[in-house]
Amino acid sequence: MKVVRSIEELRSQLLGQLRTAFVPTMGNLHAGHLSLMRLAARHGDPVVASIFVNRLQFGPKEDFESYPRTFDADCDKLSKEGVYVLFAPDERELYPEPQEYRVSPPAALGDTLEGEFRPGFFVGVTTVVLKLFSCVQPRAAVFGKKDYQQLMIVRNMCRQFSLPCEIIAAETVRADDGLALSSRNGYLSDPERREAPALFRTLNEVREKVLARDLSFAAIEQSARAALVHRGWRPDYVSIRRRADLKLPDSDAALSEEPLVVLAAAHLGKTRLIDNLEI
Ligand code: PAF
């Protein structure tokens, strides 16, 4: 695997490659990321990964400084997966001057759920993804369903800007107890790690209740939030949405025929976890 630090070197490495499949990451790679690499290999060749902890998508009180950086271990994992090029620019390379031009997702999609609780997050994500796409020029790029809203926002950005890149969705990889793999799981203490699968269990309970069609969505969401609070969590949201656009579905559960997804974000101690489940 070739580790490339500059945009110029990246472009010369990829010259003439028309089928590049790309996986952008912020490093601290786990089995979920590696599944994205494998899926990328089914959609293009060569596979290019990036590692860049993108300051633009972190709020002032968030964990940019402490975000886990495990570059050498990440490189070992990526080379074992057969990744051809790892693009790992530093901040001076990707943002040599203040990034004044930014991508602004539509408010209806970008300012709800994660966007409501992490203002500016999706502007930071789409801006860096557009820039990385411009550097790598992939034909396909893989994003995990764990970040459901991010996946949808990036896919819509590609469509609206006519970017010649297909966005491939990868299923969430979970630990045996159901906890979705995430770099932030490393922040959990041992007792918190034992508690953490309760988030996914709660999503499953929401799913069962929605399928039973005997309670309103609002009542189901409220009881899920209350159950988490009872267990010591501080939920930001538990919300049932339309899969197609993440808008609120028809409030009458019995009438709603649309494919749905339930999304949740909640704090457990100092760690904020997100997860979702298609219904
Ligand atoms: O999902 C992530 O790891 C990040 O949001 C991404 C897509 C690499 C952009 O920084």
Side-chain angles (χ1 to χ4, degrees):
M1 182 178 75
K2 181 103 183 135
V3 179
V4 167
R5 299 282 185 179
S6 76
I7 296 172
E8 194 186 343
E9 199 189 347
L10 178 74
R11 289 201 170 128
S12 81
Q13 277 293 326
L14 296 178
L15 202 65
Q17 299 285 5
L18 298 176
R19 295 187 57 244
T20 300
F22 178 45
V23 186
T25 81
M26 298 205 300
N28 193 233
L29 304 180
H30 49 66
H33 292 111
L34 303 183
S35 79
L36 306 186
M37 306 298 156
R38 268 168 246 151
L39 187 56
R42 286 171 33 204
H43 288 271
D45 179 35
V47 173
V48 175
S50 66
I51 294 181
F52 181 69
V53 184
N54 174 38
R55 187 187 292 273
L56 286 192
Q57 70 190 71
F58 287 79
K61 294 192 180 138
E62 292 185 350
D63 55 346
F64 174 75
E65 297 299 343
S66 58
Y67 196 84
R69 288 156 171 91
T70 51
F71 190 72
D72 292 343
D74 292 346
C75 284
D76 284 350
K77 291 174 185 166
L78 291 176
S79 40
K80 285 191 187 116
E81 289 300 331
V83 168
Y84 175 67
V85 167
L86 168 61
F87 179 44
D90 64 14
E91 284 196 290
R92 272 164 309 174
E93 181 65 15
L94 214 55
Y95 298 131
E97 55 190 85
Q99 184 68 33
E100 290 164 340
Y101 285 75
R102 299 194 182 193
V103 182
S104 176
L109 189 54
D111 294 353
T112 184
L113 301 166
E114 283 304 278
E116 182 184 341
F117 289 90
R118 303 184 67 191
F121 171 65
F122 287 119
V123 172
V125 168
T126 46
T127 300
V128 80
V129 169
L130 183 63
K131 196 151 182 169
L132 290 167
F133 281 8
S134 151
C135 299
V136 175
Q137 306 206 354
R139 194 203 66 128
V142 181
F143 288 79
K145 281 194 186 179
K146 157 90 174 13
D147 296 293
Y148 206 87
Q149 194 177 4
Q150 167 176 281
L151 164 68
M152 182 167 290
I153 286 176
V154 168
R155 181 174 272 154
N156 291 359
M157 173 182 81
C158 285
R159 195 185 61 242
Q160 289 218 338
F161 285 126
S162 305
L163 301 182
C165 178
E166 185 187 355
I167 301 301
I168 313 289
E171 293 303 324
T172 301
V173 178
R174 298 183 180 279
D176 289 344
D177 58 12
L179 177 65
L181 299 193
S182 160
S183 300
R184 290 191 169 99
N185 293 351
Y187 298 152
L188 298 167
S189 67
D190 288 347
E192 286 167 352
R193 174 62 190 82
R194 286 193 289 278
E195 169 60 21
L199 185 61
F200 185 51
R201 284 202 302 275
T202 304
L203 294 177
N204 276 286
E205 283 157 19
V206 168
R207 183 172 184 275
E208 293 308 311
K209 288 180 186 167
V210 169
L211 292 176
R213 295 272 191 260
D214 58 357
L215 284 171
S216 73
F217 291 153
I220 296 170
E221 291 166 352
Q222 174 51 31
S223 93
R225 277 194 296 268
L228 286 170
V229 169
H230 185 71
R231 300 184 66 95
W233 295 68
R234 298 185 317 285
D236 281 346
Y237 58 84
V238 177
S239 192
I240 300 160
R241 299 290 176 116
R242 304 198 309 208
R243 265 191 237 177
D245 53 13
L246 296 187
K247 289 199 172 132
L248 293 169
D250 189 316
S251 56
D252 187 336
L255 288 182
S256 177
E257 292 295 327
E258 295 159 312
L260 300 172
V261 56
V262 53
L263 306 103
H267 300 259
L268 185 57
K270 293 195 176 111
T271 309
R272 184 175 184 276
L273 298 178
I274 65 169
D275 202 352
N276 64 78
L277 184 64
E278 289 175 338
I279 296 176

